[in-house]
Amino acid sequence: MEGVDYLGDERKKAVFDVEAMKIVWAGSRHAFEVSDRIAKLVANDPGFRKDGRTMLPRKELFKNTLRKAAYAWKRIIELRLSEEEASKLRVYVDEPAYTDLHWGMFVPAIKGQGTDEQQAKWLPLAYKMQIIGCYAQTELGHGSNVQGLETTATFDPHTDEFVIHSPTLTSSKWWPGGLGKVSTHAIVYARLITDGKDHGIHGFIVQLRSLEDHSSLPGITVADIGMKFGNGAYNTMDNGVLRFDHVRIPRNQMLMRVSQVTREGKYKQSDVPRQLVYGTMVYVRQTIVADASSALSRAVCIATRYSAVRRQFGSQNGGPETQVIDYKTQQSRLFPLLASAYAFRFVGEWLKWLYTDVTQRLQANDFSTLPEAHACTAGLKSLTTSATADGIEECRKLCGGHGYLCSSGLPELFAVYVPACTYEGDNTVLLLQVARFLIKTVSQLGTGKQMVGTTAYMGRMEHLMQCRCDVQRAEDWLKPSQVIEAFEARAARMSVSCARNLSKFANPEEGFAELSADLVEAAVAHCQLIVVSKFIEKLQQDIPGEGVKQQLEVLCGVYYLFLVHKHQGDFLSTSYLTPKQAALANDQLRALYSKVRPNAIALVDAFNYTDHYLGSILGRYDGNVYPKLYEAAWKDPLNESVIPDGYHEYVRPLLKQQLHTAKL
Amino acid sequence: MEGVDYLGDERKKAVFDVEAMKIVWAGSRHAFEVSDRIAKLVANDPGFRKDGRTMLPRKELFKNTLRKAAYAWKRIIELRLSEEEASKLRVYVDEPAYTDLHWGMFVPAIKGQGTDEQQAKWLPLAYKMQIIGCYAQTELGHGSNVQGLETTATFDPHTDEFVIHSPTLTSSKWWPGGLGKVSTHAIVYARLITDGKDHGIHGFIVQLRSLEDHSSLPGITVADIGMKFGNGAYNTMDNGVLRFDHVRIPRNQMLMRVSQVTREGKYKQSDVPRQLVYGTMVYVRQTIVADASSALSRAVCIATRYSAVRRQFGSQNGGPETQVIDYKTQQSRLFPLLASAYAFRFVGEWLKWLYTDVTQRLQANDFSTLPEAHACTAGLKSLTTSATADGIEECRKLCGGHGYLCSSGLPELFAVYVPACTYEGDNTVLLLQVARFLIKTVSQLGTGKQMVGTTAYMGRMEHLMQCRCDVQRAEDWLKPSQVIEAFEARAARMSVSCARNLSKFANPEEGFAELSADLVEAAVAHCQLIVVSKFIEKLQQDIPGEGVKQQLEVLCGVYYLFLVHKHQGDFLSTSYLTPKQAALANDQLRALYSKVRPNAIALVDAFNYTDHYLGSILGRYDGNVYPKLYEAAWKDPLNESVIPDGYHEYVRPLLKQQLHTAKL
Ligand SMILES: Cc1cc2nc3c(=O)[nH]c(=O)nc-3n(C[C@H](O)[C@H](O)[C@H](O)COP(=O)(O)OP(=O)(O)OC[C@H]3O[C@@H](n4cnc5c(N)ncnc54)[C@H](O)[C@@H]3O)c2cc1C
Ligand SMILES: Cc1cc2nc3c(=O)[nH]c(=O)nc-3n(C[C@H](O)[C@H](O)[C@H](O)COP(=O)(O)OP(=O)(O)OC[C@H]3O[C@@H](n4cnc5c(N)ncnc54)[C@H](O)[C@@H]3O)c2cc1C
C-alpha cells in the first residue's frame, strides 16, 4: 500500500507550478528551505511522534510534553540550530509547551522592558534555559482590564525590597502558561506602591521555585488550573494559578527600562518613551496573524484533500460517485477558507514589514504612525483569529461524520486554536479599540491632519461618500481598482454613519457604549479592507512561476467576492451597490470556484505540510484514508479487550435482570 | 459560603413572574412538575455525579458510563418510573450512552418497520433490556448516501437464511452508537439480494454478541472507532465498527412491515405504505429540534449568569467595575441566542403537534401533507442545530478566558453537541432537500395546486413579489403582521429568483447543482420564516403569569430583528426594505436589548436547570464563581504533587545543562 497516491490525478489537473507556489507561501526560497528541512527532520524523528496524544490522560500527556520539550532542546543544541531554525523546530513539534512562553513572552518582556543591566543578568540564564520563565499578568478577576489587576508590589525602603502580595482571592494569577508546573521564574504584573502611593501596573521578575529541587519558594502557592477544551490540545500546557503571601524580591527585579524606583523609594520615568510597549504588541500580534494563516491552512488542507477522496451520491450506471469537492455547496464553504488562508498569509507578511517600519520610526522618535499601526494590528488579530477559529470548525463539518473523530486531526486543531480569539486581547475588546481609532480619525477629517497608512483612504472621503459602483457585467468584478473602491466606500460610509449617530448623543461615551455593536461592524469593514488591499498589492508584485500569479488572482477574487456576498447588506445599505451588482458579484464568485476546483489539491500541497505536522488521517498526502482510519480505530484503549471493563459488573447483571443485587 | 446568592439583586430586577415562565418553557404544568422532580432526583443522587468526567481517561470514563447506565435502569425499575419519567431521567443523567440508541433508534426501528409478529417477539426483550440494540446504518464509505451502502444480505433459499456480508473495507459499519462494546443486537441496513437481484437497502435484526459471555459471534468483527471530539463529551459512547464475514440469520429477521421475502425467495411489497418511514423521520427530527433548544439554553444560561457576575473596566471613583452583561456588544451577541433558545423551544413544540397531525393523516391514508412536513422538519433540524452549535461556542467566547476551562462546562457542551449538525442528515444535504421542495412548490404555482401548511404563503405570491415594507418608525417593527410579511416576502422572492435562474439552464439538474449555494440560502430564509411565524403564533395564545407574555414579545422581537439585521442583504437585495428601514430595525433591536437586560437572569432561571445538569462553575445558580473555580483547579491529577511527574527526567537535566546524558 505504501507508494499509493489516490490524489495523483488531482495533482495532474493543476495548471500552475506548485513548487513555485511553495516559495510564495513560505515567503522566500530561504524560508522555504529552512521550513522544509526542519519539518522533515521533526517528522522523521520518532522522538517527536504525536499520534497517540489525544488518548493520553492528563498526567501522561503532560509528562510526555516535558520529554518532548527537553528532547527538542537537546536536538537544537546538538544540531547547533540557528534561532530561526530552532523556532521552526518548535513550530513543527506542534505541541504547546512551557517553552512557548519562555521564548515568546518571558524573554521578549525582559528584552523590551528590562534595563541594560537587567538584560545582561537575566538573558544569558534564559537563553541557556538555566531558568525557565513565564508571563504572569492575568488574574482570576482581571484579564482584559489590565489596569484593574490587584496583585501588589509594595516597596519596603528598610530592606530595599518589593513585597509581592495577593490581597484577595480574585488577585490570584490565573492562566499564565508554563506557570503551573514548570517555570522557575515569572514576570509578574502588579500594582507598584511606594510610600502609600499607587503607581499602576508594572512588571517584576520573581523567582517561584527552587532551582535545586523545584519546590515552590516560601510564600508562594502555585498549581495547574485544570483541564481545558479538547483532548490533547492545550492540555499539554500547564496554565497555572499563583498566589503570593508577602514574597520579597530585591528592588532591582522590577523591570526598569521605562520607569524606576530609586533606593529611596522615589518613582520616576526614564527618558525611554512609554510607546515602546506598543512596539512589542505590534510584534506579538503580527505573529498571531501569521499563526492564523498556518492553523487555517492546515484545516483547509485536510478538508480539501478529504473532499477529493470522499465520494457520495451521483453514481451513474454503476460508475464512481461524485467527489464531494465537486458539489457547489462544498466549494462555497471550502474555497473561501482556502482563499482566506492565503489572504492571511500575505497580510501577515505585510505586518512583519509594518513592525520593522514602526520600530525604525520609534528609534527615530517618530510616533506618528503608532496609533494607526496599533489599531491595524489589533483589528487584524481579531479578524484573522475569529475567521480562523470558525473556519477550522467549518472544515471539520465539511468532512461529515469522520471529521468528528480525533484521528481526523480537526477537533484538536480547533480546541488548541480557539483561545487565540481570547488571549492577547479579547477579539471584541480589540475591535472596540479599532472603532475608537476610526471615530477619532473621522473627527479629524478636514482639520488638515494627514491620514496615514491604512487610513489614507479616509483622505478621499468626499469621493468615497458619493461614488457609485460601476460594475455592469460579472467580469467587471475582477478589476482591482473597482474592488478597492467598493471596500473603501463601505468602510468609510460605515465609519461616517457611526460618527453621525454618535454626534446625536450629548455624552460621547454614552453614545459609544450604546452604539458599540454598530461600531464593531464598522471596525470589521475597515479590517477587511486592509486584508483585501494587501492581497491586491501583493499581486502587483512580480511573482515567478508558471500560472502562479493567475492562481493567486483567482484566490484573491474568491476572497473579496465572498466578502461582498457575505456582507452584501453593508454594501447595499450604504447604497454603494445595487442589488443587480451584488448578484453579479455572486455570479463571478461561482465562476471563480470552477477555476479553483482543478487546482484545489495543488493549492493545499503548496503549504508543504508533512503528514506528521498535519496530524490527520483524512488529510493524508496520499489520500489513503479508509484503510488508515480502520487501522487507527484499533489503537483505542477501549479495544484492548473485546469485552469491555465493566461488563461483568454493569452490563451482564442488566441483561440478566439481576440489577437489584448489583453494586452500582 | 453556602446560601450566598450573588445574583439576588439581578433576580429582583425581573418584571415578570418567573414561576409562570417556567411552566411556559416546560410546555405545561405537568411537564414542569415531572422535569423538576426528576432533575432534582438525579442532582441529589451521588450515583449520578459527573464533575470529574472531563479528567477521566477513556477506559475509566467508559466504565463509569456503564455503571451509570445500569444504575439509572435500576432506579427506573425501583421507582417504577413511567416512560415519560424514565426518559426525563436519562436526559438529566446527561451522559451519552448505549441506552440512547437502544431506546431512541433500535426500539423505534422495530416498532416502525417490524411486522406484528416481529414486534411481539423482539419488543418485550428490548423493553426489559434482555437484549441491547443499536442502529447500524452508516458505513466507512457511505453516510449521507444511504442508497449507496455496500453491506449485502443475500437470501439463501436452501437454508431459509440471509447471509450478511461486508464485501469491502468501506462496507464496514462505522459510527453506530452502542455498537463498539455493548450492543448484543443491531438493526443492520444492507442491500437485499434475492436470486441475484438487488432490491436496495433493507433493515435486518442481527445478533452480534453472545448473551452468555458477550463474546462476538462467529463471522463478526466489532470494535470501538476511537476517540472523538472533546474531553468526556461523546467519548462515553462506544461508536463502533462492524464487519460481517458471511453471517447467517433466519429469514424472519428481516424487518418485513413494508416489504417481504417469501420462503421461496420472492420479494414483495406489503400494502403498508412506504411513506410510513417518513413519519418516523419527522418524529426523530422533532426531538432533535427540542434538543437544540435544550443545549442552546444551557449555554445561554451559563453565559448570561457569568456575564452578570463578571466585571471588567469602567470602575468610577473606586466603585465596582461594569458587569460585562451591560456592554452592548455583549448583549448583541448574547441576547439573540437567549431569544433563539426560546424560539427553538416553541417551534419544537409545534413540530410535536405536526408529528401527531401527520401520523393521524397517514393512518387515514392521507399523504398530502407529507412532503411539506418532511421538508419542514429537515429544514428546521438543519437550522436549529447549526445555530445551536455556533451559539454554544459564542457563549463560550462570551465568557472570556474562563470559558476555555472544562470547569466552565462549555467545551464539553460544544463537543457533545456539534455532531447533531451531521447525524440524522448532514445539515447542508438537508437544506438542499428543502430547496428542492421549494423549487417544486414554486413550479406548481398557478397550476391550481393548493399550497399547504408552511408553504401557504406561496399562495399569495403575487402580493409578496410586489409589496414594500411599510415601516416608518422603529416601533413599526413591533407589528407582527409587518414582520411576517417581511419574512414571507424575503423567502418567496429568494425562491422565485432561484427558480428563474434555474430556468436558464437547459438541464435542470445541472442548474440545480450550479446554483446550489444560492438554493441553500433560499431554504434558510424559508426555515427562518417558519420559526418566526411559530413564535408569533405562540404569542397569539393566552399566556398566563404577570408580565410573561410581554417578556416573550420582547424576545420574539429580538429574534426576528436580529435576523433582519444579520440578513439585511437578503431583505435589501430583494428590494423589500429600504436602507432606512433596515436601520430602523437595528434601532428597535437595540431598544429591545435594554428591555431584556433587567430580565436576563430571570429569563435563564426559567429554564429551571439544576447546577448538576448545567455542569458549569461559571453558570452556578448562586453566582459564586471565583472561589469554586479556584477550588476546582486543585482536583486536576497534575496537582497531586507540587513537583510534576517527569521533573527529574526532563526538567532538571535541562535546567542543569545535563541533557546530553539524559535518556529522552
Ligand atoms: C489558553 C490561554 C492561555 C493564556 N495564557 C496567558 C498567559 O500566558 N499569561 C497571562 O497573563 N494570561 C494568559 N491568558 C489570559 C488571557 O490573556 C485572558 O483570558 C484574556 O486577556 C481575556 O481576558 P478575560 O479572560 O478577562 O476576558 P473578559 O474580559 O472577562 O471577557 C469576558 C467577556 O466580556 C467582554 N468584555 C470585557 N471587557 C469589555 C468591554 N470593555 N467592552 C465590551 N465587552 C467587554 C469580552 O468581550 C468577553 O465577551 C491565557 C488565556 C487562555 C485562554
Ligand atoms: C457522533 C455520531 C454518531 C452517529 N451515530 C450513528 C448511529 O448510531 N448509526 C448510524 O448508522 N450512523 C451514525 N452516525 C453517522 C452519521 O449518520 C453520518 O455521519 C451522517 O449521516 C453524515 O454522513 P457522512 O459522514 O457520510 O457525511 P458525508 O456525506 O461524507 O459529508 C461530507 C461532506 O459532503 C457533503 N455532501 C455529501 N453529499 C452531498 C450532496 N449530495 N450535495 C452536496 N454536498 C454533499 C456534506 O455536506 C459534507 O460537507 C453517527 C455520526 C456521528 C458523528
Side-chain angles (χ1 to χ4, degrees):
Chain A
M1 247 355 200
E2 294 309 316
V4 298
D5 183 1
Y6 290 105
L7 293 170
D9 284 347
E10 287 290 335
R11 297 195 160 103
K12 279 186 215 133
K13 285 185 202 162
V15 298
F16 70 96
D17 177 348
V18 185
E19 297 306 316
M21 187 67 92
K22 286 183 182 173
I23 311 285
V24 176
W25 177 262
S28 71
R29 177 163 298 279
H30 167 77
F32 169 76
E33 280 169 359
V34 174
S35 284
D36 187 59
R37 182 160 41 82
I38 302 288
K40 286 179 180 148
L41 187 146
V42 172
N44 294 328
D45 187 333
F48 293 125
R49 285 187 65 154
K50 58 181 189 181
D51 37 353
R53 187 163 60 186
T54 57
M55 286 183 263
L56 294 179
R58 183 88 199 276
K59 267 171 90 166
E60 286 174 46
L61 178 72
F62 186 70
K63 185 174 177 182
N64 193 38
T65 303
L66 295 183
R67 182 191 60 73
K68 279 193 196 177
Y71 183 60
W73 188 231
K74 186 180 176 190
R75 294 300 287 150
I76 287 168
I77 296 167
E78 285 171 353
L79 298 169
R80 296 169 199 270
L81 298 189
S82 67
E83 218 179 290
E84 181 190 14
E85 291 166 326
S87 92
K88 279 277 175 234
L89 185 125
R90 279 190 290 272
V91 167
Y92 288 116
V93 167
D94 186 37
E95 190 154 301
Y98 65 89
T99 43
D100 299 351
L101 285 299
H102 178 80
W103 294 110
M105 301 290 286
F106 182 71
V107 168
I110 296 175
K111 273 194 188 166
Q113 299 163 47
T115 59
D116 290 347
E117 304 91 90
Q118 288 176 321
Q119 298 194 27
K121 170 168 178 191
W122 296 98
L123 287 180
L125 294 170
Y127 285 149
K128 290 201 203 133
M129 299 202 86
Q130 290 175 294
I131 61 173
I132 298 170
C134 66
Y135 186 88
Q137 177 175 301
T138 305
E139 299 174 354
L140 197 46
H142 286 96
S144 298
N145 182 15
V146 177
Q147 297 315 317
L149 293 175
E150 299 174 75
T151 304
T152 50
T154 311
F155 182 63
D156 179 351
H158 303 298
T159 59
D160 199 20
E161 288 171 323
F162 291 107
V163 183
I164 313 283
H165 187 59
S166 311
T168 59
L169 178 81
T170 47
S171 74
S172 311
K173 293 292 172 189
W174 187 271
W175 272 118
L179 167 65
K181 293 285 145 185
V182 181
S183 293
T184 60
H185 290 67
I187 306 289
V188 172
Y189 288 86
R191 318 195 72 77
L192 168 64
I193 296 168
T194 61
D195 206 13
K197 191 159 179 288
D198 183 335
H199 301 283
I201 303 304
H202 290 74
F204 301 83
I205 304 180
V206 185
Q207 182 170 352
L208 307 174
R209 289 183 169 90
S210 152
L211 290 172
E212 283 319 305
D213 64 8
H214 213 61
S215 58
S216 48
L217 296 186
I220 284 178
T221 307
V222 60
D224 185 271
I225 57 170
M227 290 291 283
K228 289 150 292 195
F229 202 158
N231 341 46
Y234 219 79
N235 291 302
T236 57
M237 182 69 86
D238 54 334
N239 294 92
V241 46
L242 169 64
R243 295 196 70 173
F244 297 101
D245 183 4
H246 300 93
V247 171
R248 289 177 169 267
I249 58 167
R251 181 168 54 90
N252 66 9
Q253 285 179 213
M254 167 172 156
L255 293 172
M256 299 223 201
R257 182 146 179 229
V258 175
S259 35
Q260 288 137 15
V261 171
T262 65
R263 177 61 191 91
E264 298 71 40
K266 242 193 85 193
Y267 178 73
K268 52 176 210 176
Q269 303 281 340
S270 77
D271 52 5
V272 175
R274 286 196 84 80
Q275 287 91 333
L276 269 184
V277 185
Y278 292 104
T280 315
M281 244 190 219
V282 173
Y283 174 76
V284 174
R285 290 187 182 150
Q286 162 252 309
T287 64
I288 294 188
V289 173
D291 290 347
S293 91
S294 301
L296 184 56
S297 59
R298 284 169 80 173
V300 164
C301 181
I302 296 167
T304 304
R305 287 185 182 156
Y306 180 62
S307 294
V309 170
R310 184 72 171 171
R311 293 173 177 270
Q312 209 73 189
F313 296 102
S315 159
Q316 264 150 17
N317 313 321
E321 293 168 277
T322 307
Q323 293 166 286
V324 299
I325 199 175
D326 283 325
Y327 292 114
K328 278 278 149 155
T329 45
Q330 193 85 353
Q331 295 177 5
S332 71
R333 295 158 68 200
L334 180 60
F335 292 166
L337 298 174
L338 172 61
S340 302
Y342 276 91
F344 298 168
R345 189 78 183 182
F346 299 139
V347 83
E349 246 174 35
W350 170 76
L351 276 179
K352 226 186 267 176
W353 167 86
L354 182 74
Y355 171 65
T356 322
D357 181 65
V358 165
T359 314
Q360 282 167 359
R361 286 173 190 264
L362 285 179
Q363 276 155 3
N365 269 318
D366 168 5
F367 305 124
S368 64
T369 64
L370 202 55
E372 185 261 321
H374 182 247
C376 159
T377 44
L380 291 175
K381 183 275 180 184
S382 176
L383 187 79
T384 57
T385 56
S386 288
T388 296
D390 294 349
I392 295 170
E393 171 61 5
E394 185 72 2
C395 285
R396 198 191 60 70
K397 292 207 184 93
L398 284 163
C399 295
H402 301 347
Y404 191 60
L405 281 171
C406 287
S407 54
S408 77
L410 292 162
E412 199 182 9
L413 196 53
F414 181 77
V416 85
Y417 188 76
V418 281
C421 299
T422 306
Y423 58 53
E424 285 304 317
D426 168 271
N427 280 354
T428 301
V429 174
L430 291 179
L431 287 176
L432 286 168
Q433 290 174 11
V434 177
R436 217 171 261 283
F437 167 76
L438 289 176
I439 295 303
K440 190 165 172 198
T441 307
V442 170
S443 76
Q444 290 166 338
L445 287 175
T447 63
K449 193 169 150 64
Q450 179 80 24
M451 304 288 135
V452 294
T454 55
T455 51
Y457 70 103
M458 296 243 190
R460 279 171 283 118
M461 189 55 89
E462 215 167 321
H463 169 72
L464 291 176
M465 291 302 289
Q466 288 167 0
C467 57
R468 292 258 181 282
C469 178
D470 271 347
V471 163
Q472 287 172 0
R473 298 159 316 143
E475 305 82 68
D476 294 342
W477 273 112
L478 299 178
K479 283 188 225 147
S481 57
Q482 171 56 64
V483 172
I484 296 278
E485 184 186 89
F487 279 84
E488 286 181 348
R490 166 193 176 221
R493 291 174 195 198
M494 287 175 77
S495 286
V496 167
S497 151
C498 282
R500 280 191 190 141
N501 290 334
L502 279 175
S503 68
K504 295 176 198 153
F505 286 79
N507 177 336
E509 275 312 303
E510 240 168 57
F512 194 88
E514 180 65 19
L515 301 177
S516 57
D518 297 345
L519 285 156
V520 161
E521 291 179 7
V524 167
H526 173 72
C527 297
Q528 288 176 343
L529 162 63
I530 301 176
V531 183
V532 169
S533 319
K534 298 305 155 191
F535 204 151
I536 288 178
E537 275 173 26
K538 173 85 191 174
L539 295 175
Q540 279 150 4
Q541 296 169 17
D542 199 35
I543 300 178
E546 199 193 320
V548 169
K549 193 180 219 172
Q550 287 83 335
Q551 272 315 301
L552 292 175
E553 280 164 355
V554 169
L555 289 176
C556 182
V558 167
Y559 182 71
Y560 63 69
L561 289 172
F562 163 74
L563 289 180
V564 169
H565 182 63
K566 182 171 166 198
H567 298 277
Q568 59 165 312
D570 291 351
F571 291 93
L572 292 168
S573 68
T574 55
S575 303
Y576 179 77
L577 287 190
T578 63
K580 170 86 190 148
Q581 289 168 326
L584 290 174
N586 204 26
D587 291 345
Q588 185 57 50
L589 179 56
R590 254 196 337 269
L592 290 183
Y593 289 155
S594 305
K595 294 203 170 167
V596 174
R597 170 59 191 93
N599 297 291
I601 299 297
L603 283 168
V604 301
D605 284 349
F607 305 145
N608 199 42
Y609 294 145
T610 62
D611 280 347
H612 171 275
Y613 184 59
L614 271 189
S616 166
I617 293 179
L618 303 188
R620 288 173 64 91
Y621 182 84
D622 64 8
N624 190 24
V625 167
Y626 296 119
K628 297 292 177 181
L629 267 182
Y630 191 83
E631 247 176 76
W634 260 263
K635 293 180 191 147
D636 193 274
L638 268 194
N639 290 328
E640 283 162 17
S641 60
V642 174
I643 307 207
D645 254 22
Y647 164 73
H648 293 285
E649 302 95 309
Y650 310 127
V651 181
R652 196 179 149 84
L654 177 142
L655 286 165
K656 296 297 175 191
Q657 319 290 298
Q658 291 161 347
L659 280 183
H660 46 285
T661 58
K663 240 186 86 69
L664 301 174
Chain B
M1 250 355 201
E2 293 310 316
V4 299
D5 182 1
Y6 290 106
L7 292 170
D9 285 347
E10 287 290 337
R11 296 194 162 105
K12 279 186 215 132
K13 285 187 202 158
V15 298
F16 70 96
D17 177 349
V18 185
E19 296 307 314
M21 187 68 93
K22 286 183 182 174
I23 310 286
V24 176
W25 176 262
S28 68
R29 178 163 297 279
H30 168 77
F32 169 74
E33 280 169 0
V34 174
S35 284
D36 186 59
R37 182 161 40 83
I38 302 288
K40 286 179 182 152
L41 187 146
V42 172
N44 294 328
D45 187 334
F48 292 125
R49 285 187 67 156
K50 59 182 189 183
D51 37 352
R53 187 163 63 188
T54 57
M55 286 183 260
L56 294 179
R58 182 87 199 279
K59 266 170 92 167
E60 287 173 46
L61 177 72
F62 186 70
K63 185 173 176 184
N64 194 36
T65 303
L66 295 183
R67 182 191 60 73
K68 277 194 197 176
Y71 183 60
W73 187 229
K74 187 179 175 191
R75 294 302 286 150
I76 287 168
I77 296 168
E78 284 172 351
L79 299 168
R80 295 166 199 272
L81 297 190
S82 67
E83 219 179 288
E84 182 190 13
E85 291 166 328
S87 91
K88 280 280 172 228
L89 185 127
R90 279 189 291 270
V91 167
Y92 288 117
V93 168
D94 188 37
E95 188 154 303
Y98 65 89
T99 43
D100 300 351
L101 285 298
H102 178 80
W103 296 109
M105 300 292 285
F106 183 71
V107 167
I110 295 176
K111 271 192 186 168
Q113 299 162 48
T115 59
D116 292 347
E117 302 92 88
Q118 288 176 321
Q119 299 195 24
K121 174 173 176 187
W122 294 101
L123 289 181
L125 293 169
Y127 285 150
K128 291 200 203 134
M129 301 204 83
Q130 288 176 296
I131 62 174
I132 298 170
C134 68
Y135 186 88
Q137 177 176 301
T138 306
E139 297 174 354
L140 198 45
H142 286 95
S144 297
N145 182 14
V146 177
Q147 297 315 315
L149 294 175
E150 298 175 76
T151 305
T152 50
T154 311
F155 183 62
D156 179 351
H158 301 298
T159 60
D160 198 18
E161 287 171 322
F162 291 107
V163 182
I164 313 286
H165 188 60
S166 310
T168 60
L169 179 81
T170 48
S171 74
S172 310
K173 291 294 168 188
W174 187 271
W175 273 116
L179 168 65
K181 292 286 144 183
V182 181
S183 293
T184 60
H185 288 69
I187 307 289
V188 171
Y189 289 85
R191 319 196 70 79
L192 169 63
I193 295 168
T194 61
D195 207 12
K197 192 161 179 291
D198 183 335
H199 301 283
I201 303 305
H202 291 73
F204 302 82
I205 303 178
V206 185
Q207 183 172 350
L208 307 175
R209 288 183 169 92
S210 153
L211 291 173
E212 283 319 306
D213 65 6
H214 212 64
S215 59
S216 50
L217 296 184
I220 284 179
T221 306
V222 62
D224 185 271
I225 58 172
M227 287 295 279
K228 290 151 292 194
F229 201 159
N231 341 43
Y234 220 78
N235 291 302
T236 57
M237 182 70 86
D238 54 332
N239 294 91
V241 45
L242 169 64
R243 296 197 68 172
F244 298 101
D245 183 4
H246 300 93
V247 171
R248 290 178 168 266
I249 58 167
R251 179 168 55 89
N252 66 12
Q253 285 178 214
M254 167 173 155
L255 292 172
M256 297 226 201
R257 182 147 180 227
V258 175
S259 36
Q260 286 135 19
V261 171
T262 65
R263 177 62 192 90
E264 295 73 39
K266 242 193 88 197
Y267 178 73
K268 51 177 209 173
Q269 303 281 339
S270 76
D271 50 8
V272 176
R274 286 195 84 82
Q275 286 91 334
L276 269 184
V277 185
Y278 292 104
T280 317
M281 246 188 217
V282 172
Y283 174 76
V284 175
R285 289 186 183 151
Q286 162 251 309
T287 63
I288 293 187
V289 172
D291 290 347
S293 90
S294 301
L296 184 55
S297 58
R298 282 169 80 173
V300 164
C301 182
I302 296 168
T304 304
R305 288 185 182 156
Y306 180 63
S307 294
V309 170
R310 184 71 170 172
R311 292 172 178 273
Q312 209 74 191
F313 296 103
S315 160
Q316 264 150 15
N317 314 322
E321 292 168 277
T322 307
Q323 293 166 285
V324 298
I325 198 174
D326 282 325
Y327 292 115
K328 278 278 149 155
T329 45
Q330 192 85 351
Q331 295 177 5
S332 72
R333 296 157 69 200
L334 180 59
F335 293 167
L337 298 174
L338 173 60
S340 301
Y342 275 91
F344 297 169
R345 188 78 183 183
F346 298 140
V347 82
E349 242 173 38
W350 171 76
L351 275 179
K352 223 185 267 176
W353 169 85
L354 182 75
Y355 171 65
T356 321
D357 181 65
V358 164
T359 314
Q360 282 168 358
R361 285 171 192 266
L362 286 178
Q363 275 155 4
N365 269 316
D366 168 5
F367 306 123
S368 63
T369 62
L370 203 54
E372 184 261 323
H374 182 249
C376 156
T377 44
L380 291 174
K381 183 271 178 187
S382 175
L383 187 79
T384 57
T385 55
S386 289
T388 296
D390 294 349
I392 296 170
E393 172 61 6
E394 184 71 3
C395 285
R396 197 191 61 67
K397 293 205 185 94
L398 284 163
C399 296
H402 301 346
Y404 190 62
L405 281 172
C406 287
S407 55
S408 78
L410 291 162
E412 197 181 10
L413 197 53
F414 181 77
V416 83
Y417 188 75
V418 281
C421 300
T422 306
Y423 58 53
E424 286 302 318
D426 168 271
N427 280 355
T428 302
V429 173
L430 291 180
L431 287 176
L432 287 168
Q433 290 174 13
V434 177
R436 218 171 259 283
F437 166 76
L438 289 177
I439 294 303
K440 191 164 170 198
T441 306
V442 169
S443 76
Q444 289 166 341
L445 288 174
T447 63
K449 198 168 146 64
Q450 179 79 26
M451 303 289 135
V452 294
T454 54
T455 52
Y457 71 103
M458 296 243 190
R460 278 172 282 117
M461 189 55 90
E462 216 167 318
H463 169 71
L464 291 176
M465 291 302 290
Q466 289 167 0
C467 57
R468 291 259 182 283
C469 179
D470 271 347
V471 164
Q472 287 173 0
R473 298 160 315 146
E475 305 81 70
D476 294 342
W477 274 113
L478 299 178
K479 282 189 224 147
S481 58
Q482 173 56 64
V483 173
I484 295 278
E485 186 186 88
F487 279 83
E488 286 181 349
R490 165 193 177 220
R493 292 174 196 196
M494 289 174 78
S495 285
V496 167
S497 151
C498 282
R500 280 191 191 140
N501 290 334
L502 279 175
S503 68
K504 295 175 197 153
F505 286 80
N507 177 335
E509 276 313 302
E510 243 168 53
F512 194 88
E514 180 65 20
L515 300 177
S516 56
D518 297 345
L519 284 155
V520 160
E521 290 178 6
V524 167
H526 172 71
C527 298
Q528 287 175 344
L529 162 63
I530 300 177
V531 183
V532 168
S533 316
K534 297 305 154 192
F535 204 151
I536 288 178
E537 277 173 27
K538 173 85 190 177
L539 295 176
Q540 280 150 2
Q541 296 169 18
D542 198 35
I543 299 178
E546 199 192 319
V548 171
K549 192 180 220 172
Q550 286 83 332
Q551 272 314 301
L552 292 174
E553 280 164 355
V554 169
L555 289 177
C556 182
V558 168
Y559 183 70
Y560 64 67
L561 289 172
F562 163 74
L563 290 179
V564 169
H565 182 64
K566 181 171 168 199
H567 298 278
Q568 60 166 314
D570 291 351
F571 291 94
L572 292 168
S573 68
T574 55
S575 303
Y576 178 77
L577 287 191
T578 63
K580 169 83 189 151
Q581 290 168 325
L584 290 174
N586 205 24
D587 291 344
Q588 184 56 52
L589 179 57
R590 251 195 340 266
L592 290 183
Y593 289 155
S594 304
K595 294 203 170 170
V596 174
R597 169 62 190 95
N599 297 289
I601 298 299
L603 283 168
V604 302
D605 284 349
F607 305 146
N608 200 42
Y609 293 145
T610 62
D611 280 346
H612 172 275
Y613 184 59
L614 271 189
S616 165
I617 293 179
L618 302 188
R620 288 173 64 92
Y621 182 84
D622 64 8
N624 189 26
V625 165
Y626 296 119
K628 297 293 176 181
L629 268 181
Y630 192 82
E631 246 175 75
W634 261 263
K635 295 182 189 145
D636 194 274
L638 268 193
N639 290 329
E640 284 161 17
S641 60
V642 174
I643 307 203
D645 254 25
Y647 165 72
H648 293 285
E649 303 94 308
Y650 311 127
V651 181
R652 198 181 148 82
L654 177 141
L655 285 165
K656 297 294 174 193
Q657 319 290 300
Q658 292 162 346
L659 278 183
H660 47 284
T661 59
K663 238 185 87 70
L664 300 176

